Amino acid sequence: MIRVPRDFKPLLDDLSAAVAKPQTARRLVLFFAASVLVVGDHTVSAVLRLLSLIEPVNPSTFHRLFSHRRWNATRLAKVVACFVINRFVPHGPIKVVGDETVDGHRGKKVYGKARHRDAVRSSHSHTVFRYGHKWIVLAILVELPYATRPFALPILVALYRDKKTCAAERRRHKTAAEIMCGLLAVLMHWFPERKFIFAGDNAYGTHSMARFAAKHAERLTLVSKIVADANLFEPPPKRKAGKNGRPPVKGRSLPSPEAVAKSGKGGKKMRVRWYGGGWRNVKVFTGVGCWYKSGKGIVSIRWVYVIDLDGTHRNECFFATDPALSPEAIIEMYGGRWNIEITQAECVSRTSLYRLAA
């Protein structure tokens, strides 16, 4: 029998209760506990080799545990999310990060396989494509007292389906940002009394996702990148009494973040936390404006233009859908997004977690 730490017993008990059949629950919990202890590749076969040292196991039984799954993965995800949040983030806003990762899988009969850009192997001048699955991952940032940087713990995972697969199944195609909005909606539904701050890269810094965050402004704040020459406007003026015609949807045009930075007025030097838990000396320009898209309306944002004074990083421009958020908080929140890259690199190289979630 595997003896697990006392602190993990409530989690394993809740996981068992979330599965209908006791025998299936026992195998799932046993597999989960062994996967924590196994060294090297966290494949099903590697976990079973460890379990065979404790008790006789039938490999096909555990393989069918995933291939013929009858348990609800979303219910198990809620159990894990409750355990993580109640233990590590019991109070205050919950910081969450999102990203996408490609898991190579070239088999002819693999469901959902498509040709995706591999962000790890690609650069600004060279693009590498890979056949396989693209997973949309939502993780919670957890800060531990003995670590110099937060840890990104994956909570929800969704498979991206390309347009060809969606057309064959007669389903509406969803972008990565739309899928992420769905995952965030699930998380907000599970924890209706909590507020979330989400950080994502350019793929999630879209106007549609900014509108989604603005619609749930009391529960969700989006932090992402925005182009330095973005078109920003003042809020629409109030309509004058007795005036006919269509009311204005935006106010006067504002200088772009890049133009404000080039003017050199209003910049502030500060030291902020950067990628990987390090620190950077930067010069920051910030302002508030309305991000407008024709036919979609406006979203009030705070933008932050960052110049790296150490000379090792290019200039960056971030934004948040909460104008009250400070520039330091926006920069550090986006810098914390890097931790999900580390998590996904370890998952892809060491485990078949995402494939099992399919």
Side-chain angles (χ1 to χ4, degrees), residues 5 14 25 55 58 77 84 86 94 105 116 124 132 138 178 197 252 261 298 314 331 356:
D14 291 341
E55 63 177 50
N58 185 347
V84 171
N86 293 336
I94 302 172
H105 214 11
H116 305 290
H124 291 286
L138 180 64
E178 290 175 328
I197 303 178
R252 293 183 300 176
I298 61 173
R314 63 180 181 271
I331 297 171
L356 296 179

Side-chain angles (χ1 to χ4, degrees), residues 53-232:
L53 301 176
I54 302 170
E55 63 177 50
V57 296
N58 185 347
S60 61
T61 300
F62 281 87
H63 279 282
R64 287 197 303 270
L65 183 66
F66 299 101
S67 62
H68 295 71
R69 185 183 72 192
R70 292 296 181 269
W71 37 273
N72 191 323
T74 304
R75 187 178 302 172
L76 298 184
K78 184 178 180 180
V79 170
V80 176
C82 290
F83 177 81
V84 171
I85 290 177
N86 293 336
R87 185 174 181 83
F88 299 106
V89 201
H91 307 290
I94 302 172
K95 298 179 180 179
V96 292
V97 293
D99 199 10
E100 54 194 50
T101 182
V102 178
D103 185 16
H105 214 11
R106 300 181 62 89
K108 293 183 179 180
K109 297 183 179 180
V110 175
Y111 171 78
K113 179 192 71 173
R115 182 172 177 261
H116 305 290
R117 177 182 178 273
D118 191 341
V120 176
R121 295 174 175 81
S122 301
S123 63
H124 291 286
S125 59
H126 180 65
T127 301
V128 176
F129 292 95
R130 193 178 184 187
Y131 282 93
H133 292 148
K134 181 162 78 171
W135 297 96
I136 312 301
V137 185
L138 180 64
I140 296 177
L141 281 184
V142 174
E143 295 190 10
L144 302 176
Y146 54 81
T148 58
R149 63 172 181 82
F151 286 85
L153 304 182
I155 296 298
L156 289 170
V157 182
L159 178 64
Y160 169 84
R161 297 172 176 83
D162 65 336
K163 294 181 178 180
K164 183 178 179 180
T165 302
C166 291
E169 297 180 349
R170 295 183 179 180
R171 69 165 74 206
R172 184 177 70 87
H173 175 258
K174 293 184 179 181
T175 64
E178 290 175 328
I179 296 175
M180 185 60 72
C181 287
L183 298 182
L184 288 169
V186 170
L187 200 59
M188 289 190 292
H189 176 71
W190 286 348
F191 305 94
E193 73 285 354
R194 303 299 298 273
K195 181 176 181 179
F196 297 89
I197 303 178
F198 171 80
D201 59 10
N202 307 59
Y204 306 103
T206 63
H207 193 272
S208 61
M209 193 157 185
R211 296 197 310 273
F212 176 80
K215 182 180 178 181
H216 304 278
E218 295 183 357
R219 304 282 317 286
L220 178 66
T221 297
L222 169 65
V223 175
S224 187
K225 282 186 177 181
I226 192 172
V227 292
D229 58 349
N231 294 321
L232 302 175

Side-chain angles (χ1 to χ4, degrees), residues 2 15-16 19 21-35 47-48 51 55-66 71:
I2 296 180
L15 288 174
S16 299
V19 180
K21 294 184 178 180
Q23 189 65 20
T24 302
R26 181 183 180 278
R27 290 170 183 160
L28 189 65
V29 170
L30 199 63
F31 185 89
F32 173 81
S35 65
V47 174
L48 293 182
L51 285 177
E55 63 177 50
V57 296
N58 185 347
S60 61
T61 300
F62 281 87
H63 279 282
R64 287 197 303 270
L65 183 66
F66 299 101
W71 37 273

Side-chain angles (χ1 to χ4, degrees), residues 199 273-277 318 330-339:
R273 292 183 65 178
W274 205 250
Y275 302 117
F318 309 112
I330 295 174
I331 297 171
E332 293 180 0
M333 183 62 201
Y334 189 86
R337 190 202 66 83
W338 178 253
N339 297 284

